[in-house]
Amino acid sequence: MSNPENGRVPVVRFAPSPTGYLHVGGARTALFNFLFARHHGGKFILRIEDTDQKRFQAEALQEIFTSLKWLGLQWDEGPEAGGEGGPYFQSQRTETYRRHADQLLAAGRAYRCFCSEDRLTRMRAEQEKAKMANGSGYDRHCRLLTEAEVAALLAANAPHVIRLKVPDDRAVVFRDLIRGEISYDSAQLDDLVLLKSDGFPTYHLANVVDDYLMRVTHVLRGDEWIASTPKHMLIYEAFGWPPPLFAHMPVILAADGGKLSKRRGAASVLDYQRAGYLPEALLNFLVLLGWAPGGDREIMTLDEMIAAFSLERVQAKAAVFDETKLEWMNGHYLQQRSEESLLPEVMVCWEKLLLPLPAALADKAYARRVIGLFKDRSKKIIEIAENSGYFFRDPAAYDPQAARKYFKRETLSILELLSEKLAAQEPFGREALEGLYRQVAEGLGLPAGKLIHPTRLAASGVSSGPGLFAMLEVLGKETVIRRLQNARNWIAAAADTKE
RNA sequence: GGCGCUAUCGUCUAGGGGUUAGGACGGGUGAUUCUCAGUCACUAAACCGGGGUUCGAAUCCCCGUAGCGCUACCA
């Protein structure tokens, strides 16, 4: 399948810089790239933009890989995957960038700039003071250097950068696939730095050179890059290369309308994993932030997203990250999942929560049944583990409020009677147990609730949870009777101290 | 300050010259039940403001306002 825009099989790339963890905004950009590539039968490249040595973090790199894999966004080319366009770390391509910067120098489209940081700072301060209406930015001081001056400075080993010669006063126009035509006046643009004095390229140079060399057809990136795009257009032009197509994704905002940050709701992708979210839920939620397939469809598998995805339907407006809806969606996907598939992840939570580890945890079949009791009433994986502790050890205490309500003196005899009946009950299945309870209640002339609530509290220590009879069935006869006895003794002791 | 982008219920969005402006989350009410959830039903809730264009504007154009982005030898 070829794409409708320029007839070539699309090649896209996700190009994070390893300066921090992959957060949901980045994940959404990666997702849109992935969906676009898959929809058109194209290629999805992962490229690491690590040209800023000062901000590089090795852990961040690992986390980016782990996050993308967890979400199921497998890249076709990139680190670990290989490919013809490699290497995929920009820090390993510095020779390439230098060569290309030289090429621009030779063509007279760029020049060496020896200005010190000091001079630049002073210049900016003066511009600030003069409140220059426009055209603030580098004053092009070194553009006027003669060849002899440059040669002398070079001979003296003077540190320098390479800057692009930006044309004076011209419209730079490009078409954003989501917003339409966007135009900038080149007079607004700086003579931007292409190669830094440490020999590393700036984002702008590396980005353009790599996108060209890797034959990228569509640049789908966050909309904070819109203002950089005219600069990139000028670089393509200086090289004489045809530019790719651009589409800028709207940003994702925090609930208060501000920027997404760790402090404000949006953590890294892996934090959502740790918090008990399912990848399919996060993906489905994220795809709806800035895109909709049309109509009323919301719940979609990855394959359905791929089939329906199109850039034309991507929203231009920033979207607010609504954690509540994510939770709802996660609950939905939790219900869809089998007990079996949930087991490893719930087990991790149990192992953290239940120390020392109860022997019952080793019984996989039992664990699966417990999960079955909780997955439909939970929103996150962690909740399944948090609320099910009593399936692995007897309650250490009873919820005080519930105890006041359900553990009364007259409950004593009820629990005793129930213990007796339960001991004789066979089979110990949920329907049979319910039948037994209704029968006993009737015999006593009491509403079934009078039996059910104390039993629940005795068996679990809390007053909320799965249906009582399903719970008793999973717990098993021996455990249930033991807990009923424990509760009986507890009530008796409480009654004594009161007197 | 300059430049740019954006604007439909609280939130995500559908629609797009003539509609009772639709759906989802969240809220409210009710039903179900042994609790909590869940599920189901019902319900309140929106076209930023002003000018044009037009028989007709939420929809197209302009202006304003607000929000956001960029304005680095960061990405």
Side-chain angles (χ1 to χ4, degrees):
Chain A
M1 210 188 298
S2 69
N3 85 79
E5 290 292 344
N6 61 10
R8 279 172 62 195
V9 173
V11 177
V12 296
R13 84 298 193 278
F14 176 56
S17 55
T19 54
Y21 302 135
L22 183 69
H23 70 98
V24 290
R28 208 262 325 250
T29 301
L31 172 61
F32 282 8
N33 270 281
F34 176 88
L35 293 177
F36 182 77
R38 288 287 176 278
H39 180 87
H40 292 290
K43 201 159 67 177
F44 174 49
I45 298 176
L46 177 64
R47 184 174 72 215
I48 305 300
E49 312 228 321
D50 53 350
T51 56
D52 186 347
Q53 324 159 89
K54 294 177 212 107
R55 297 203 303 156
F56 177 79
Q57 287 177 31
E59 324 81 75
L61 190 61
Q62 246 343 289
E63 205 175 302
I64 289 167
F65 295 156
T66 311
S67 302
L68 291 175
K69 285 183 206 162
W70 179 65
L71 288 171
L73 305 180
Q74 187 54 57
W75 52 99
D76 303 310
E77 284 184 18
E80 298 178 3
E84 301 161 0
Y88 296 93
F89 290 88
Q90 292 188 328
S91 59
Q92 293 169 21
R93 303 168 62 85
T94 50
E95 206 35 60
T96 306
Y97 307 126
R98 204 167 328 210
R99 214 171 51 238
H100 281 87
D102 285 342
Q103 185 184 325
L104 255 24
L105 231 35
R109 307 299 294 250
Y111 60 98
R112 298 181 201 271
C113 168
F114 298 86
C115 288
S116 67
E117 223 178 299
D118 261 15
R119 195 189 99 77
L120 260 18
T121 312
R122 268 202 319 275
M123 179 199 74
R124 269 181 216 115
E126 274 163 38
Q127 285 174 349
E128 182 68 23
K129 222 186 323 171
K131 285 207 174 108
M132 285 175 64
N134 62 342
S136 70
Y138 182 58
D139 61 6
R140 299 181 168 180
H141 176 263
C142 292
R143 207 153 144 168
L144 276 13
L145 258 29
T146 64
E147 262 177 62
E149 284 171 320
V150 171
L153 283 159
L154 241 28
N157 245 327
H160 64 277
V161 302
I162 294 176
R163 286 183 186 271
L164 183 74
K165 280 187 191 169
V166 170
D168 267 336
D169 194 9
R170 228 193 61 196
V172 183
V173 183
F174 63 95
R175 194 159 67 87
D176 181 279
L177 264 19
I178 294 165
R179 291 152 235 267
E181 204 172 275
I182 297 176
S183 172
Y184 279 82
D185 184 341
S186 71
Q188 302 291 337
L189 272 24
D190 227 345
D191 273 3
L192 60 131
V193 174
L194 299 170
L195 207 64
K196 306 184 229 176
S197 57
D198 63 3
F200 277 80
T202 58
Y203 168 81
H204 305 295
L205 206 224
N207 193 264
V208 167
V209 168
D210 285 348
D211 282 345
Y212 175 73
L213 260 21
M214 294 177 185
R215 313 183 135 275
V216 169
T217 59
H218 294 71
V219 172
L220 318 187
R221 70 214 321 185
D223 76 5
E224 68 269 26
W225 294 109
I226 290 180
S228 293
T229 305
K231 302 176 186 176
H232 299 173
M233 293 298 288
L234 256 16
I235 299 176
Y236 281 105
E237 192 180 296
F239 279 116
W241 296 337
L245 268 8
F246 294 95
H248 292 94
M249 311 295 136
V251 291
I252 299 179
L253 268 21
D256 61 5
K259 230 180 135 182
L260 220 44
S261 68
K262 281 222 168 184
R263 271 267 148 264
R264 273 191 301 196
S268 76
V269 168
L270 258 28
D271 281 341
Y272 283 95
Q273 178 192 27
R274 285 185 279 265
Y277 287 97
L278 264 14
E280 60 268 39
L282 188 55
L283 236 29
N284 197 155
F285 174 72
L286 245 24
V287 84
L288 259 16
L289 248 39
W291 178 81
D296 293 339
R297 268 177 70 216
E298 291 209 315
I299 299 291
M300 284 169 286
T301 63
L302 230 207
D303 283 341
E304 288 169 333
M305 293 178 209
I306 290 169
F309 190 78
S310 77
L311 282 180
E312 294 73 49
R313 300 196 64 92
V314 172
Q315 195 92 11
K317 186 183 80 161
V320 172
F321 192 93
D322 178 9
E323 185 115 17
T324 315
K325 184 155 184 178
L326 206 213
E327 277 198 7
W328 165 80
M329 200 167 266
N330 204 59
H332 169 83
Y333 278 105
L334 226 37
Q335 291 190 13
Q336 307 294 302
R337 283 284 201 104
S338 68
E339 288 81 9
E340 178 70 34
S341 78
L342 255 15
L343 183 59
E345 290 166 85
V346 179
M347 193 58 80
V348 171
C349 297
W350 273 330
E351 283 167 356
K352 257 183 251 167
L353 261 27
L354 301 173
L355 291 171
L357 292 182
L361 223 43
D363 184 347
K364 295 246 162 64
Y366 181 70
R368 276 196 295 270
R369 297 177 76 196
V370 174
I371 291 172
L373 254 26
F374 283 91
K375 76 181 178 82
D376 286 359
R377 54 206 324 117
S378 301
K379 291 196 155 143
K380 304 178 194 177
I381 288 171
I382 184 97
E383 284 171 24
I384 297 177
E386 280 169 351
N387 295 325
S388 58
Y390 56 83
F391 278 92
F392 299 96
R393 59 170 62 119
D394 291 355
Y398 301 105
D399 174 46
Q401 208 182 332
R404 269 197 299 279
K405 192 166 173 194
Y406 299 125
F407 282 178
K408 302 233 170 91
R409 195 171 309 225
E410 58 268 29
T411 317
L412 264 176
S413 58
I414 292 178
L415 289 181
E416 279 162 8
L417 174 63
L418 251 16
S419 296
E420 237 171 78
K421 298 278 189 187
L422 251 14
Q425 176 62 36
E426 203 62 51
F428 209 73
R430 59 191 75 179
E431 285 90 5
L433 287 167
E434 175 151 19
L436 174 71
Y437 265 65
R438 305 266 173 224
Q439 194 187 316
V440 172
E442 205 172 324
L444 255 31
L446 289 171
K450 289 280 181 210
L451 273 37
I452 287 169
H453 297 301
T455 304
R456 169 188 302 285
L457 187 58
S460 71
V462 293
S463 61
S464 68
L468 179 73
F469 306 110
M471 185 175 116
L472 298 184
E473 176 192 300
V474 173
L475 243 15
K477 187 193 278 193
E478 195 190 322
T479 302
V480 170
I481 291 174
R482 182 180 64 246
R483 291 184 183 182
L484 252 37
Q485 299 292 354
N486 290 159
R488 195 215 78 94
N489 296 340
W490 187 92
I491 297 169
D496 282 350
T497 52
K498 234 182 257 172
E499 274 157 31

